């Protein structure tokens, strides 16, 4: 059975009820993903034609420009893709897969990896059986460009572990990781940032350090710690600051400007 969208899901655009607190867009508050969801709890079972397949999924954020999902799927299977229909940022939270792009060398992705699945990808994903469930967090862009616009890569782009670990040479507050057809990815190092009517929704994952985000409109504060995923909405006005002894490193994902 072939999956329609996403590496591990079959129904990324199903209408699934969203947590009420995440859609308070009029308040322009940040949305923080609950840790229970990141642990793979509270997902919805997705009925499969093949009874041996196990798939769970939950849409955890549905904004103006980005949608975010948690997906869990039984391992020990193979999925084949012909011209993957969208660009997808994925944080691989559990499991291992061997990727076999058509005409290119195979490679592996394991727990803790961050990568972008290419729009137009052709090849196979072999999920290695670990006795449990594969688990991923997926981010996709909404209002994507037309299907003729492909990613600038032909296979998944895996973010280097030196960059994630902070040992790469950094000369700026932001390292460009990927500029794609639908998504852009950076690693941010700055301990202080100001947000003035944010143009694009931005999803973040805290890698290192402790930070506080202040909303200037509501005068509210939110503390974020390593492992936290959160979204800053369009129009947000506020600041993030960090007094942490550790360097602050944050992965940033947002919609590419290319509309096709």
């Amino acid at each position: 059975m072939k999956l329609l969208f996403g590496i591990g899901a079959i129904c990324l655009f199903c209408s699934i009820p969203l947590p009420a607190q995440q859609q308070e867009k009029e308040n322009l508050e940040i949305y923080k993903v609950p840790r229970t969801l990141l642990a793979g709890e509270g997902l919805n079972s997705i009925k499969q034609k093949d009874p041996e397949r196990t798939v769970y999924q939950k849409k955890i954020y549905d904004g103006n420009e980005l949608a975010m999902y948690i997906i869990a799927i039984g391992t020990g299977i193979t999925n084949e893709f012909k011209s993957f229909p969208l660009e997808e940022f994925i944080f691989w939270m559990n499991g291992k897969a061997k990727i076999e792009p058509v005409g290119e060398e195979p490679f592996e992705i394991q727990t803790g990896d961050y990568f972008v699945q290419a729009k137009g990808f052709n090849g196979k994903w072999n999920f290695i059986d670990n006795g449990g469930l594969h688990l991923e967090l997926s981010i996709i862009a909404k209002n994507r460009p037309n299907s003729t616009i492909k990613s600038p890569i032909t296979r998944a782009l895996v973010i280097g572990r030196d960059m994630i670990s902070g040992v790469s040479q950094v000369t700026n507050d932001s390292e460009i990781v990927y500029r794609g057809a639908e998504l852009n990815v950076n690693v941010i190092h700055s301990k202080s940032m100001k947000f003035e009517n944010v143009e694009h929704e931005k999803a973040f994952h805290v890698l290192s350090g402790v930070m506080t985000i202040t909303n200037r409109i509501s005068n509210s504060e939110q503390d974020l710690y390593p492992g936290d995923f959160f979204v800053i909405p369009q129009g947000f006005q506020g600041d993030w600051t960090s007094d942490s002894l550790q360097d602050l490193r944050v992965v940033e994902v947002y919609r590419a400007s290319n509309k096709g």
Side-chain angles (χ1 to χ4, degrees):
M1 177 179 177
K2 297 180 181 178
L3 305 188
L4 298 179
F5 296 101
I7 292 171
I10 61 169
C11 193
L12 282 185
F13 305 109
C14 290
S15 178
I16 297 175
L18 303 177
Q21 68 272 21
Q22 82 178 63
Q23 288 304 307
E24 296 174 354
K25 295 179 182 178
E26 64 274 12
N27 295 331
L28 296 180
E29 297 288 353
I30 70 168
Y31 167 63
K32 178 181 174 182
V33 179
R35 286 295 182 99
T36 53
L37 293 176
L38 294 177
E41 300 297 324
L43 308 185
N44 302 298
S45 178
I46 305 298
K47 186 176 181 180
Q48 303 291 293
K49 292 183 179 179
D50 184 348
E52 295 185 0
R53 279 183 176 267
T54 301
V55 178
Y56 298 89
Q57 175 185 289
K58 194 175 188 69
K59 180 188 283 188
I60 59 174
Y61 181 81
D62 189 11
N64 294 327
E65 297 185 334
L66 299 176
M68 186 183 299
Y69 302 81
I70 301 289
I71 302 161
I73 185 170
T75 54
I77 62 174
T78 296
N79 292 328
E80 185 174 359
F81 300 100
K82 294 182 178 179
S83 192
F84 194 75
L86 49 82
E87 218 163 51
E88 184 177 18
F89 173 86
I90 295 174
F91 175 45
W92 201 267
M93 295 187 286
N94 185 56
K96 179 179 178 179
K98 182 178 181 181
I99 317 304
E100 299 179 6
V102 172
E104 298 188 39
E105 290 295 318
F107 60 99
E108 293 182 344
I109 290 174
Q110 302 189 46
T111 300
D113 282 337
Y114 302 77
F115 60 98
V116 178
Q117 167 73 319
K119 183 177 182 178
F121 170 83
N122 295 297
K124 295 180 180 180
W125 287 76
N126 302 297
F127 295 88
I128 309 303
D129 192 353
N130 65 355
L133 293 174
H134 152 73
L135 186 65
E136 70 178 51
L137 182 144
S138 166
I139 300 174
I140 63 172
K142 301 173 68 173
N143 301 317
R144 296 180 302 278
N146 66 65
S147 59
T148 62
I149 300 178
K150 305 298 183 184
S151 297
I153 55 175
T154 57
R155 51 178 259 172
L157 172 76
V158 182
I159 301 178
R161 292 196 171 185
D162 280 355
M163 183 177 290
I164 294 300
S165 300
V167 299
S168 58
Q169 296 296 316
V170 179
T171 57
N172 299 306
D173 290 339
S174 175
E175 292 181 88
I176 295 174
V177 176
Y178 181 72
R179 291 291 178 267
E182 298 175 0
L183 295 173
N184 293 332
V185 183
N186 300 323
V187 174
I188 307 295
H189 299 268
S190 177
K191 284 195 171 187
S192 63
M193 291 186 67
K194 292 184 179 296
F195 299 94
E196 304 290 351
N197 293 313
V198 174
E199 181 180 2
H200 294 293
E201 277 178 339
K202 295 177 180 288
F204 297 91
H205 188 206
V206 182
L207 301 174
S208 175
V210 178
M211 63 190 296
T212 299
I213 295 185
T214 302
N215 185 324
R216 291 195 222 112
I217 304 302
S218 64
N219 292 318
S220 60
E221 291 187 348
Q222 176 73 68
D223 293 327
L224 288 310
Y225 300 90
D228 284 338
F229 270 94
F230 65 97
V231 179
I232 291 180
Q234 286 177 294
F236 181 80
Q237 298 183 57
D239 307 86
W240 86 27
T241 57
S242 174
D243 296 323
S244 175
L245 293 176
Q246 293 286 338
D247 289 338
L248 183 67
R249 293 195 314 282
V250 183
V251 174
E252 174 188 46
V253 182
Y254 58 98
R255 182 181 64 80
S257 298
N258 184 7
K259 297 182 180 179

